[in-house]
């Protein structure tokens, strides 16, 4: 049966694509080797540097985020190289599995999937690695399976304090353009991102930002790679072109997304996400439910993972909400399947979209008979009313 009204896609990526970006993508395909293309190429390549906050090269792949994960490793590593990876949740776990398939040797720092990476444990592991066999520290900036962030600046400080030469690799696939990310200032060596989360685009583009130090590692790396090769990309990119066919129409959308982010002002975008996350947590707490992330200062501005009471099935709640409210919420992944549902409040997202989302959840909690207190939506509204939107000017 037809459901009236727009579908609420409230999963933490892909996020809803704003009409302005859909219109920008809706163009005839152009010749990616033609004379006019370089202008678009330069525009998105330099634009992405402003989003990563870097003067270093940004590589754009026609691939999902997973491709850029692989690119980060195959461009810098040799077979058998050791990595230090923090398992903050399902996505960190998947990156580790990918590394093993490539013939690398991850050393894991485990967590309870309810917090970010602990810099003290990273420092300890690096200090113990006297022979400097660890070639990279890999951390997920915004762990999309748990709604916990890691403080990347403090991870850099831990590596420096251990006086260890390992590269710092950061998955900011769901962090970039929603949560503050500072590639140069935080001394990140390789950042990995994707198009379908904070960048408000459909899936299909992914990114590597690469430091000088990563480019040096690239010269010594021997893992086989061809499609992912940074040097081929960087060479063609200097002229505004790509070594193979780029996802042309997504690049039209990317140029529009970069403009939109700067029109609002990146810092305003980050503040909006933080405010929506805080309002969401106010709702969860009023419902008497529990947020998956245990550390207040690590709670994600991008999404909130909510635990359902013991004996309840989060997936049943989600399917109830989909059927009754035409709204998709994120599922619990692997270890937390059925135990949590995830509310995405990222990308092109407004106060009224958030309130609609929370009202839909409150309705779903009632219909699915999940024990809860009423008033979560009201608590979020109160939070939004008491913290009016920042009026600061866009950069
Ligand atoms: C979405 C996501 C990925 C996976 O990206 P794909 O585009 O699905 O390959 C990896 N890491 C994080 C943190 C993500 O949010």
């Amino acid at each position: 049966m037809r459901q009236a009204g727009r579908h609420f896609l409230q999963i933490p990526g892909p996020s809803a694509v704003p009409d302005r970006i859909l219109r920008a993508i809706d163009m005839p395909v152009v010749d990616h080797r033609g004379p006019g293309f370089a202008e678009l190429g330069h525009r998105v390549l330099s634009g992405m540097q402003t989003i990563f906050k870097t003067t270093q090269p940004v590589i754009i792949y026609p691939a999902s985020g997973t491709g850029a994960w692989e690119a980060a490793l195959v461009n810098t590593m040799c077979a058998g190289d050791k990595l230090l990876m923090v398992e903050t949740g399902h996505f960190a776990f998947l990156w580790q599995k990918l590394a093993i398939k490539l013939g690398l040797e991850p050393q894991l720092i485990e967590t309870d999937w309810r917090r970010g990476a602990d810099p003290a444990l990273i420092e300890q592991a690096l200090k113990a690695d006297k022979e400097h066999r660890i070639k990279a520290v890999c951390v997920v900036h915004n762990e999309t399976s748990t709604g916990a962030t890691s403080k990347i600046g403090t991870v850099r400080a831990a590596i420096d304090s251990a006086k260890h030469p390992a590269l710092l690799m950061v998955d900011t696939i769901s962090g970039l353009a929603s949560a503050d990310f500072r590639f140069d200032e935080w001394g990140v060596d390789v950042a990995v991102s994707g198009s379908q989360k904070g960048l408000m685009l459909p899936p299909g583009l992914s990114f590597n930002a690469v430091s000088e130090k990563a480019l040096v590692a690239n010269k010594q790396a021997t893992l086989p790679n061809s499609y992912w090769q940074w040097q081929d990309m960087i060479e063609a990119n200097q002229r505004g072109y790509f070594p193979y066919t780029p996802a042309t129409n997504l690049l039209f959308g990317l140029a529009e997304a970069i403009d939109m982010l700067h029109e609002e002002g990146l810092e305003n975008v980050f503040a909006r996400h933080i405010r929506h996350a805080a309002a969401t947590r106010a709702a969860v707490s009023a419902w008497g439910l529990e947020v998956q992330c245990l550390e207040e200062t690590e709670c994600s501005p991008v999404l909130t993972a909510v635990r359902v009471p013991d004996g309840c099935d989060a997936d049943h709640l989600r399917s109830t909400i989909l059927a009754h409210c035409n709204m998709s919420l994120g599922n619990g992944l692997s270890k937390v399947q059925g135990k949590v549902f995830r509310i995405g409040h990222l990308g092109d997202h407004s106060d009224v979209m958030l309130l609609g989302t929370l009202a839909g959840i409150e309705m779903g909690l009632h219909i699915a008979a999940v024990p809860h207190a009423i008033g979560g939506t009201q608590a979020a509204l109160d939070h939004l009313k008491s913290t009016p939107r920042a009026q600061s000017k866009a950069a």
Side-chain angles (χ1 to χ4, degrees):
M1 195 178 69
R2 180 186 123 74
Q3 296 222 50
R6 202 176 258 224
H7 177 69
F8 264 49
L9 184 67
Q10 298 297 142
I11 61 177
S15 62
V17 180
D19 294 351
R20 249 180 88 173
I21 290 181
L22 291 173
R23 295 296 88 80
I25 292 170
D26 181 14
M27 292 277 283
V29 180
V30 299
D31 175 5
H32 63 285
R33 305 205 190 278
F37 184 84
E39 191 190 326
L40 173 67
H42 284 307
R43 192 169 151 209
V44 291
L45 288 161
S46 62
M48 282 311 293
Q49 289 178 310
T50 66
I51 305 298
F52 278 104
K53 297 188 178 172
T54 185
T55 57
Q56 287 295 118
V58 174
I59 315 279
I60 306 177
Y61 295 110
S64 87
T66 302
W69 261 349
E70 178 160 339
L73 296 173
V74 295
N75 273 289
T76 53
M77 295 292 136
C78 302
D81 275 353
K82 221 167 143 179
L83 307 170
L84 183 63
M85 303 182 104
V86 186
E87 199 200 287
T88 44
H90 183 65
F91 288 101
F93 173 74
L94 290 181
W95 199 8
Q96 178 229 335
K97 273 202 352 193
L98 183 151
I100 292 170
K101 285 185 196 155
L102 293 175
L104 300 170
E105 290 179 19
Q107 172 183 331
L108 262 201
I109 295 177
E110 289 183 32
T111 77
D112 57 1
W113 287 32
R114 301 194 72 175
R115 65 195 74 241
D118 182 346
L121 293 179
I122 293 173
E123 185 172 341
Q124 196 184 319
L126 291 177
K127 279 183 169 158
D129 178 40
K130 300 249 187 296
E131 292 161 27
H132 293 170
R133 289 196 54 224
I134 294 169
K135 299 301 174 195
V137 175
C138 302
V139 176
V140 175
H141 178 209
N142 182 75
E143 179 49 80
T144 323
S145 63
T146 65
T149 55
S150 289
K151 295 180 179 118
I152 303 305
T154 66
V155 174
R156 164 47 69 192
I159 299 173
D160 291 348
S161 147
K163 299 191 171 46
H164 197 289
L167 297 172
L168 172 56
M169 296 198 181
V170 179
D171 167 347
T172 185
I173 293 179
S174 65
L176 192 74
S178 293
D180 192 11
F181 187 78
R182 309 176 190 179
F183 185 86
D184 288 355
E185 189 184 320
W186 291 344
V188 179
D189 290 302
V190 186
V192 178
S193 197
S195 56
Q196 75 273 29
K197 317 252 166 119
L199 287 169
M200 308 177 283
L201 293 167
L205 292 180
S206 58
F207 310 88
N208 276 172
V210 294
S211 73
E212 284 295 341
K213 194 170 157 187
L215 290 171
V216 171
N218 178 238
K219 293 211 166 69
Q220 283 133 31
T222 56
L223 276 186
N225 70 85
S226 164
Y227 183 80
W228 306 116
Q229 233 166 66
W230 286 345
Q231 286 306 335
D232 291 354
M233 275 285 195
I234 289 170
E235 222 178 278
N237 285 171
Q238 271 157 7
R239 286 170 281 113
Y241 291 91
F242 291 83
Y244 42 79
T245 317
T248 318
N249 286 52
L250 288 179
L251 296 183
F252 288 133
L254 180 60
E256 190 73 15
I258 293 166
D259 283 352
M260 288 170 73
L261 289 165
H262 288 308
E263 280 170 28
E264 185 175 352
L266 276 183
E267 305 313 311
N268 293 333
V269 170
F270 303 148
R272 169 165 59 77
H273 281 78
I274 289 169
R275 181 166 164 270
H276 283 178
T280 302
R281 291 198 299 280
V284 173
S285 149
W287 286 325
L289 300 178
E290 203 185 329
V291 168
Q292 175 71 7
C293 178
L294 289 174
E295 297 290 335
E296 178 72 20
T297 65
E298 293 176 337
C299 281
S300 170
V302 174
L303 77 141
T304 302
V306 183
R307 294 171 70 88
V308 293
D310 284 344
C312 293
D313 177 4
D315 288 335
H316 176 250
L317 173 66
R318 287 189 318 109
S319 60
T320 304
I321 290 170
L322 178 61
H324 287 266
C325 305
N326 193 18
M327 173 162 73
S328 295
L329 296 168
N331 63 331
L333 294 163
S334 65
K335 261 191 212 177
V336 289
Q337 196 205 332
K339 298 196 173 87
V340 310
F341 65 93
R342 295 174 298 146
I343 308 166
H345 32 72
L346 69 156
D348 189 44
H349 206 250
S350 68
D351 288 8
V352 291
M353 289 164 80
L354 182 69
L355 290 168
T357 300
L358 296 171
I361 294 169
E362 192 156 335
M363 214 149 98
L365 290 169
H366 172 76
I367 297 166
V370 173
H372 69 287
I374 56 166
T377 310
Q378 183 64 51
L381 175 58
D382 291 345
H383 181 89
L384 294 175
K385 285 196 292 194
S386 67
T387 56
R389 207 158 54 86
Q391 294 297 320
S392 56
K393 278 244 158 49

